[in-house]
Amino acid sequence: MKNSKFKINSIGAFLILNVAFLIGASAQEQPPEATSPRAVKIPKIVESKLPNGLKIIVVERKNVPLVSVNLMIDGGAANEDDKLAGVTDMTASLLTKGTKTRNADAIAEQTEFLGSSINGGANWMSTSVGFDATTDKLDKAMAIFADVVLRPTFPQSEIDLYKSQAIDELNVGLKQPGTLARFVAAQYSFGEHSVGGTPETIKAIKRKDLLEIYRTYYLPSESVLIFTGDITQAQAQLIAKKYLGLWRNPPPDLPYGAVLSGTNVNPITINDYRKMMIEQPTFNRMLVVDLPNSGQAAVVFAKKMENDDYSWRLKTLANRDSDNFFPASVANSLLGGGYSSRMNQEIRIKRGLSYGAGSSIAWRSNGGNFSTRCQTKTASAAEVAELTLNEINRLINEDASDAELTPRKNVLNGDFGREFETNGGIAGQIENLLTFDLPMSNLDAYMNGNAKVTAQQVRDFALFNLKGGDIIIVGDYND
């Protein structure tokens, strides 16, 4: 009898546990509601300038004895000749490969001994060179950094090694459908070239081209030195003057892009423009690139957002420095900004056609480059392209609900807040503002700017900026 009673009690306990499990599992089917992001305290940003024109920005953070130093140079891949694509990035990368007093091995060994490393690279709009160091090693690390920035020699042996490695890496990358699709979109849709160049352009670059880039753009008057971490403004000013105070500016200034005058613009209202744009096709061109034995296909929608007479007059273009920046950010987050975005929901979660689908905006001085991305089986490439266009059309034609918009805004603001938890994240936010000549006060406006975005603003951004793009498919045509 004791054994029977024990068995009955055990069965009862088992049933109770399973019922509890089922109740818990059922409760977890619905994800919890998104909470509002925590308030972000924007750190104090102090600006000053050396007599040679070098601008200094300091963000003091005393929590860790670590300092990040970043030199931002106002010159990126946009300024280089298409036939020498990759030369600006190569110049920045080779700064650490030899100076008048140190060879590449000495630079690497000395910085490693200090627990640091110096890295340089370019993007489309600017170039950045930087390092991290503990507070007690900052002075010694800064001496090596200044040597690298002010006295590079670009040894031919290091140039040859860099070119060999870069060409090998590019040749491997261009056999991948996703990488090749990005290269194609840069040229075909955006009228740009790859920041890293191509095997042909890298091969064509000579030492004199690196020297020309260095002499033209590495100027104190065109650069900003950013200190973030355990350092005061006075300390930063002293160390900058000590090591970079003798940096000099040769003339002259370089011409930049022409500014639209806005003359000869036909009168039009915003409602007229809406009607005109709604009649435009979502995509104008389709390009299929055959990549034999690719195994998969990459599907991209690409649209260059740039001013025309109407968008200039009506201020509908999404610029990094315009009020349309926030609707653009929320719209992009809604469409393809993360796991719960519409594209990923439709393509990956509901249909299992890809491991991930998303979208992004690469901002430029006059608009930006919008693109989606997805890699799928070759047989489902056409379906993915159709689903991508469907989601862009839904963004244009339907208001998003508050239940959908609020989490996307929270994601943007949460990501923004996390940037201020590290020295590198703070420096990145500052560099972003400097790239587009925006005041530091824009950091204070970011979270509120996203929070105010309406469903109508999201629709307008998509209508005015995303219509008329290109569909690009890269894959094995015979599959």
Side-chain angles (χ1 to χ4, degrees), residues 77-98:
N79 298 325
E80 65 194 17
D81 190 326
D82 288 351
K83 295 178 181 178
L84 298 175
V87 65
T88 306
D89 190 50
M90 187 190 297
T91 302
S93 299
L94 287 173
L95 291 175
T96 60
K97 300 305 180 182

Side-chain angles (χ1 to χ4, degrees), residues 144-465:
I144 303 171
F145 177 74
D147 193 28
V148 162
V149 171
L150 301 184
R151 291 174 286 276
T153 54
F154 303 108
Q156 187 61 51
S157 60
E158 294 293 342
I159 294 172
D160 294 340
L161 178 60
Y162 177 96
K163 290 171 70 170
S164 175
Q165 293 173 339
I167 290 170
D168 286 346
E169 186 176 338
L170 285 165
N171 283 330
V172 171
L174 290 173
K175 294 176 182 177
Q176 306 301 316
T179 302
L180 182 55
R182 288 192 294 273
F183 271 74
V184 171
Q187 181 68 48
Y188 183 71
S189 302
F190 305 140
E192 299 178 355
H193 57 256
S194 169
V195 171
T198 68
E200 291 75 19
T201 62
I202 294 296
K203 187 177 180 180
I205 294 171
K206 295 180 171 53
R207 182 173 181 272
K208 66 180 180 61
D209 302 315
L210 305 178
L211 292 171
E212 182 65 22
I213 290 291
Y214 179 79
R215 291 166 182 158
T216 303
Y217 297 104
Y218 284 69
L219 310 174
S221 61
E222 302 299 319
S223 303
V224 182
L225 188 62
I226 305 168
F227 293 90
T228 54
D230 186 18
I231 188 169
T232 66
Q233 194 275 335
Q235 290 169 333
Q237 187 83 8
L238 283 173
I239 201 168
K241 184 176 180 179
K242 177 180 178 181
Y243 290 108
L244 297 175
L246 296 179
W247 193 8
R248 289 293 175 257
N249 289 292
D253 293 335
L254 291 172
Y256 237 76
V259 178
L260 286 170
S261 65
T263 58
N264 300 321
V265 179
N266 296 326
I268 188 172
T269 68
I270 192 71
N271 286 330
D272 292 333
Y273 195 42
R274 282 195 182 100
K275 292 175 184 177
M276 184 176 74
M277 291 302 296
I278 204 70
E279 298 299 325
Q280 301 300 314
T282 307
F283 81 100
N284 286 334
R285 303 182 297 178
M286 178 178 287
L287 178 66
V288 178
V289 180
D290 185 20
L291 184 63
N293 304 313
S294 60
Q296 290 188 328
V299 180
V300 168
F301 174 88
K303 174 63 167 61
K304 185 175 183 64
M305 305 185 303
E306 59 183 344
N307 258 322
D308 58 24
D309 283 347
Y310 293 127
S311 62
W312 178 88
R313 181 177 178 84
L314 298 171
K315 299 181 180 179
T316 58
L317 181 74
N319 269 324
R320 179 59 184 87
D321 59 351
S322 74
D323 292 338
N324 296 321
F325 166 73
F326 296 109
S329 298
V330 174
N332 179 68
S333 180
L334 183 65
L335 179 68
Y339 187 82
S340 59
S341 66
R342 288 179 175 182
M343 282 187 62
N344 202 63
Q345 289 277 349
E346 291 298 321
I347 295 171
R348 174 182 175 170
I349 298 172
K350 290 184 180 179
R351 293 172 175 81
L353 296 175
S354 175
Y355 284 114
S359 64
S360 60
I361 301 173
W363 294 106
R364 299 290 185 254
S365 56
N366 180 34
N369 298 337
F370 173 85
S371 62
T372 68
R373 60 190 177 276
C374 183
Q375 200 154 300
T376 186
K377 295 178 294 183
T378 305
S380 56
E383 182 181 0
V384 167
E386 184 177 4
L387 290 169
T388 299
L389 291 173
N390 288 344
E391 290 308 314
I392 292 172
N393 282 324
R394 186 154 74 99
L395 202 66
I396 292 169
N397 297 318
E398 300 176 12
D399 281 341
S401 67
D402 287 341
E404 192 177 14
L405 282 178
T406 298
R408 303 319 305 168
K409 296 175 186 179
N410 289 345
V411 167
L412 288 170
N413 287 342
D415 290 342
F416 176 75
R418 281 190 290 275
E419 289 295 308
F420 292 90
E421 296 177 3
T422 66
N423 291 341
I426 294 171
Q429 289 291 330
I430 292 173
E431 286 189 18
N432 188 278
L433 296 180
L434 292 170
T435 297
F436 298 95
D437 293 323
L438 296 172
M440 296 297 124
S441 58
N442 272 36
L443 295 176
D444 295 303
Y446 183 89
M447 297 182 75
N448 194 40
N450 284 327
K452 288 182 176 180
V453 171
T454 66
Q456 183 62 57
Q457 288 177 313
V458 168
R459 286 183 62 181
D460 280 347
F461 159 75
L463 175 63
F464 298 142
N465 295 279

